[in-house]
Amino acid sequence: MALNYKKNVPTKINRALSRKEINAGFISSIKSPKYRCTNLGIIADGAVYSVFVIDGENRRDIESATSNILADILDIKGKVIIGDKALKYYLDGGEGVDLAKEWYKKTKLPFVFARLCYNCYENRIKDIEKKFLKERIKIPQYILKKEAKKRNITPKELLWYLQFIKYKMDYKAQKSLRLFLKKAKNHK
């Protein structure tokens, strides 16, 4: 509770960390090599249900850094959508190519969308990382209801979605991140 936090889309969090407007944040994997990072990430081991390429004109999602590049690497054409709008699209019956699922099909590895990176307060950030990885995550009902309402979904749908997100950067996640960054560099 003593920490101030900002919630925003990946490209804005990336920019805020770069400008030192924030001291730490979950930033896009593609931007993470520039920073000191923890072993916390936003990771999908198969389908994630919030990062899609849908039919339509080839268009990047302006909120994304990593997912746009992932679509290019996987050579999937269409409109990239991420985050709350993608989850809502799926829950409303929309169809598309789940990029995390496609990455898993091709590599048999989870996909790391973001990492907790920082530019100062290393000991404090490492302490947060250790506590987060050690404790089972429990979401109070009032927060769950508030967050579900913001997304125009039910608390049950939000809990369903969260089961597909992993946070620990284990060996496979680290291997996957290295592979993604190598492919991104070679893809340019």
Side-chain angles (χ1 to χ4, degrees):
M1 295 302 290
L3 298 175
N4 290 323
Y5 70 93
K6 294 181 180 185
K7 183 175 185 247
N8 218 319
V9 298
T11 53
K12 290 188 178 180
I13 295 293
N14 297 344
R15 199 172 308 119
L17 188 65
S18 174
R19 294 179 180 167
K20 297 187 178 182
E21 295 167 358
I22 59 174
N23 298 317
F26 280 96
I27 65 163
S28 300
S29 291
I30 196 69
K31 301 291 185 181
S32 67
K34 297 177 185 179
Y35 301 98
R36 293 176 284 168
C37 299
T38 68
N39 285 317
L40 283 177
I42 306 294
I43 305 160
D45 201 0
V48 71
Y49 303 101
S50 61
V51 180
F52 290 103
V53 174
I54 60 174
D55 283 338
E57 180 183 329
N58 275 354
R59 277 198 8 225
R60 293 176 164 262
D61 190 313
I62 61 168
E63 296 176 351
S64 173
T66 295
S67 300
N68 293 322
I69 293 168
L70 179 57
D72 289 345
I73 288 170
L74 295 171
D75 196 29
I76 299 171
K77 308 294 183 210
K79 180 181 175 184
V80 176
I81 61 171
I82 70 162
D84 294 345
K85 66 183 172 288
L87 177 59
K88 180 75 172 127
Y89 172 83
Y90 175 79
L91 292 172
D92 287 344
E95 295 183 7
V97 177
D98 186 307
L99 291 179
K101 185 176 181 179
E102 288 302 307
W103 176 262
Y104 185 83
K105 279 185 192 176
K106 291 190 181 216
T107 66
K108 300 298 184 237
L109 294 168
F111 191 78
V112 181
F113 286 97
R115 296 183 67 195
L116 179 59
C117 300
Y118 56 95
N119 52 32
C120 60
Y121 301 112
E122 181 171 16
N123 291 340
R124 193 174 205 184
I125 301 301
K126 293 286 188 176
D127 190 45
I128 290 169
E129 170 195 26
K130 190 182 340 176
K131 287 177 182 174
F132 188 89
L133 291 173
K134 190 176 181 181
E135 297 175 14
R136 187 171 171 264
I137 301 165
K138 296 176 188 173
I139 305 170
Q141 282 297 309
Y142 77 95
I143 292 175
L144 185 64
K145 288 176 183 175
K146 180 181 164 188
E147 292 300 317
K149 186 175 182 180
K150 267 197 251 179
R151 290 161 177 78
N152 198 24
I153 62 176
T154 68
K156 186 176 180 180
E157 289 171 326
L158 184 53
L159 282 175
W160 169 84
Y161 166 68
L162 289 173
Q163 73 181 334
F164 298 102
I165 306 295
K166 309 291 183 237
Y167 300 99
K168 185 176 183 181
M169 289 282 300
D170 61 11
Y171 171 77
K172 282 187 170 186
Q174 291 173 9
K175 180 178 178 182
S176 178
L177 179 63
R178 285 191 303 272
L179 178 61
F180 169 71
L181 292 172
K182 180 179 177 184
K183 286 181 176 284
K185 187 176 181 180
N186 293 337
H187 193 73
K188 291 180 181 178

